[in-house]
Amino acid sequence: MKFPENSYISSIYGIGKLKSLSELYIFNLRDVSGYRIGELKNMTDLYKLGINRLENVKDGEEARNAQLCEKRRLTDLTLCWSDIHIDSTNKYLDENVLDNLHPPKCLRKLKIERYMGARSAIWMNNVNWIFNLEEIVLSDCSEWETLPSFGHLPFLKLLELYDMPKVKWLESKFNGNDRYRAFPLLEKLYIGRLEALEDWFEAGVTAEEGCLFPCLIQLYLVDCSKLKELPSLPPKLKSLEIRSTGWKTLNFCSNSNPIPLESLEVFDCPNIISLPLADEIARLAALRSLTIRYCPNLISLGRYRQVEDTNNCQLMLNDLHINDPSVLLMEPLRSIASLKRLIIVHNDEVVSFPNELEQWFLTVTSSLSYLIIYKLKSLQCLPSTFESFSSLQYLQLFDVPMLRELPNLPPALKRLEIEGCHRELKERYGEDGGSDRHKIAHIPDIFIR
């Protein structure tokens, strides 16, 4: 947790005497007089409060002395246990303490870090008490098993869950309801390192048709290898990032509406076989940024539907980030003509660009303005078609140790950066008497290191 620079205020002895204080970003508890949680009892004007080192609270009764539920202006609350507390085995104490840190109903933002209890606080399971929450962040709570029914919160817009390895599903049963409108206003969902997460719902719970994340704009999933695929992408989703998941494909919406997705990143997903971009190309007019890295079993980006006029349907990508150049030969990337920025990184196998890829580069000569090649350990030569790249302005070559020679570079190139390449290349093009320095003399900014 990052604390503001003025967090030194928490070192004031007997801070509870500052009864009119409205913000206390972080209060570091100590087990000594003047620094215990009871100091908060009469600070009724607080609207923003952070409490750290909650392991120094001896029991639930002492936690109740903070009287959080009486602070009628409190809208932003952070509750933290310290790093050393992670090894604690007294989960029942943590549960008792959290049960008694009951916030008021006006709370809008809640953050909990390093809580070692296995269950949610009692007040968290009563949707009427947390009804007004708009932002929830839970992190490093390694013993927590079952989450509250956050999907019922009518105003929740942001949910972040990190490092909670025992959570198995995102949403559980609530008051016997098996079907409901899930997360009705949620816009941003970030889930990271929930290794046991298997499904979006507990068995027997189902969202109403088309009503799972109806307002979701950003979805970020990292290290959730067991998580099942979504039945369909949320209808308003603009940004999707999946890393280290077990997904095999993406399920786009089954209706015929345009797909608003602007950015898609698929990273380190060994089970991914297909990304059906070509299938939905007519509905993916908004897609501008695409990343596909470390997906060794990817064999298809979909197929064009026969009913569509594919001559008028192309991805209008601006940015493409890959580690395997062969994906450039898969439709719809094979026919792309709008690309402005291409990044090829981390590949130890590519020695050169075969003729088919040389031809592919010719399709983007009039649009590509930025090319980065980074950590291609075996690459020995660049595309010979470089001279025809009329729009290329920036070329960066980082850690390409086998590259000894540059092709003729386009006259419009403004910046050339070369770092971590072969000694011979430095000698040929370096500014200290390089024999081929004249070939790149037209470039205004040159950095060869």
Side-chain angles (χ1 to χ4, degrees):
M1 176 181 177
K2 294 182 68 176
F3 304 134
E5 293 180 1
N6 62 349
S7 62
Y8 63 83
I9 196 171
S10 69
S11 63
I12 297 175
Y13 175 82
I15 196 172
K17 296 176 182 178
L18 302 177
K19 296 180 182 180
S20 298
L21 200 65
S22 60
E23 297 182 15
L24 182 54
Y25 284 92
I26 190 67
F27 179 34
N28 288 313
L29 300 178
R30 306 182 204 174
D31 190 17
V32 293
S33 177
Y35 297 99
R36 294 192 174 96
I37 199 167
E39 292 292 325
L40 300 172
K41 181 177 181 179
N42 296 314
M43 302 178 72
T44 56
D45 287 338
L46 288 171
Y47 73 85
K48 184 179 181 68
L49 172 63
I51 308 175
N52 192 32
R53 299 177 185 170
L54 279 163
E55 68 274 10
N56 288 318
V57 179
K58 62 183 179 182
D59 54 32
E61 183 177 355
E62 184 181 2
R64 202 178 308 125
N65 288 338
Q67 294 194 7
L68 296 186
C69 62
E70 300 300 320
K71 304 186 190 315
R72 304 303 182 189
R73 298 184 60 201
L74 188 62
T75 58
D76 190 331
L77 176 64
T78 298
L79 302 173
C80 294
W81 284 257
S82 64
D83 290 332
I84 60 173
H85 177 66
I86 291 179
D87 297 326
S88 172
T89 57
N90 195 350
K91 65 178 182 181
Y92 301 109
L93 174 59
D94 280 20
E95 292 171 356
N96 198 13
V97 168
L98 191 58
D99 281 343
N100 287 279
L101 292 174
H102 194 314
K105 289 186 177 181
C106 59
L107 197 68
R108 297 287 190 274
K109 299 179 181 180
L110 174 65
K111 184 174 185 178
I112 300 176
E113 292 188 4
R114 294 182 287 275
Y115 165 67
M116 290 295 111
R119 61 168 176 80
S120 306
I122 295 172
W123 51 267
M124 296 180 76
N125 291 320
N126 184 344
V127 74
N128 292 322
W129 277 106
I130 58 175
F131 187 81
N132 290 302
L133 280 176
E134 298 175 4
E135 298 183 9
I136 299 173
V137 179
L138 308 178
S139 66
D140 293 296
C141 302
S142 58
E143 299 297 318
W144 206 328
E145 296 178 4
T146 303
L147 296 174
S149 294
F150 292 144
H152 291 265
L153 298 178
F155 306 115
L156 188 64
K157 295 182 179 179
L158 169 69
L159 178 60
E160 298 185 21
L161 306 170
Y162 301 110
D163 295 295
M164 301 178 70
K166 294 190 177 182
V167 172
K168 291 186 177 181
W169 47 78
L170 192 63
E171 180 69 357
S172 57
K173 286 188 177 183
F174 179 76
N175 291 341
N177 289 336
D178 291 339
R179 300 180 69 85
Y180 66 95
R181 187 176 176 86
F183 299 94
L185 282 187
L186 193 69
E187 296 178 352
K188 299 178 181 180
L189 176 60
Y190 305 122
I191 302 177
R193 295 177 296 277
L194 270 65
E195 293 92 344
L197 189 66
E198 298 174 359
D199 208 342
W200 301 91
F201 297 99
E202 182 181 4
V205 180
T206 308
E208 292 180 9
E209 183 68 25
C211 290
L212 175 61
F213 308 123
C215 293
L216 197 66
I217 297 173
Q218 295 180 8
L219 176 58
Y220 172 86
L221 300 171
V222 173
D223 291 324
C224 302
S225 58
K226 297 181 180 179
L227 181 62
K228 291 182 180 179
E229 294 132 44
L230 278 166
S232 65
L233 290 188
K236 295 184 179 180
L237 194 66
K238 293 185 177 181
S239 178
L240 173 62
E241 181 175 342
I242 56 173
R243 297 187 178 215
S244 303
T245 71
W247 293 12
K248 293 182 179 180
T249 188
L250 291 182
N251 297 311
F252 290 108
C253 308
S254 58
N255 58 41
S256 59
N257 296 330
I259 299 169
L261 198 64
E262 297 174 358
S263 174
L264 172 62
E265 181 169 336
V266 184
F267 186 99
D268 195 19
C269 294
N271 293 338
I272 284 280
I273 299 173
S274 172
L275 296 175
L277 302 181
D279 305 65
E280 305 293 348
I281 195 165
R283 298 200 291 148
L284 285 169
L287 190 63
R288 293 294 179 267
S289 178
L290 176 64
T291 296
I292 303 174
R293 290 179 56 189
Y294 305 116
C295 300
N297 292 309
L298 180 68
I299 58 174
S300 171
L301 296 180
R303 294 183 178 181
Y304 289 119
R305 296 179 180 177
Q306 295 300 317
V307 296
E308 293 174 349
D309 181 3
T310 56
N311 292 326
N312 295 321
C313 292
Q314 291 184 341
L315 282 183
M316 299 303 293
L317 286 182
N318 291 332
D319 299 321
L320 179 59
H321 194 157
I322 60 175
N323 76 294
D324 182 1
S326 67
V327 302
L328 299 174
L329 301 179
M330 298 181 186
E331 293 292 5
L333 295 184
R334 190 184 188 105
S335 303
I336 199 168
S338 60
L339 197 64
K340 295 180 180 179
R341 179 183 173 99
L342 175 62
I343 302 175
I344 307 175
V345 298
H346 291 277
N347 190 312
D348 292 344
E349 298 178 0
V350 174
V351 175
S352 62
F353 295 99
N355 185 59
E356 278 191 295
L357 281 172
E358 293 254 358
Q359 294 303 308
W360 178 89
F361 274 104
L362 289 175
T363 66
V364 295
T365 55
S366 61
S367 64
L368 193 68
S369 61
Y370 202 117
L371 175 62
I372 295 178
I373 297 178
Y374 176 66
K375 287 197 173 182
L376 268 64
K377 299 288 188 177
S378 302
L379 186 66
Q380 296 181 11
C381 58
L382 298 176
S384 59
T385 54
F386 256 63
E387 191 173 13
S388 61
F389 281 39
S390 58
S391 296
L392 193 66
Q393 297 183 28
Y394 303 94
L395 175 60
Q396 297 180 338
L397 307 171
F398 296 154
D399 204 2
V400 190
M402 301 302 292
L403 186 64
R404 299 180 182 219
E405 185 177 3
L406 298 176
N408 291 330
L409 297 177
L413 198 67
K414 294 181 178 180
R415 185 179 181 90
L416 172 64
E417 292 187 43
I418 301 176
E419 184 172 352
C421 293
H422 198 279
R423 177 176 55 84
E424 184 176 329
L425 188 143
K426 294 180 183 178
E427 291 175 350
R428 294 180 65 175
Y429 298 95
E431 66 179 314
D432 296 331
S435 59
D436 288 331
R437 179 73 177 187
H438 64 282
K439 294 183 179 180
I440 59 173
H442 65 281
I443 303 172
D445 294 323
I446 302 172
F447 300 90
I448 301 179
R449 297 180 286 270

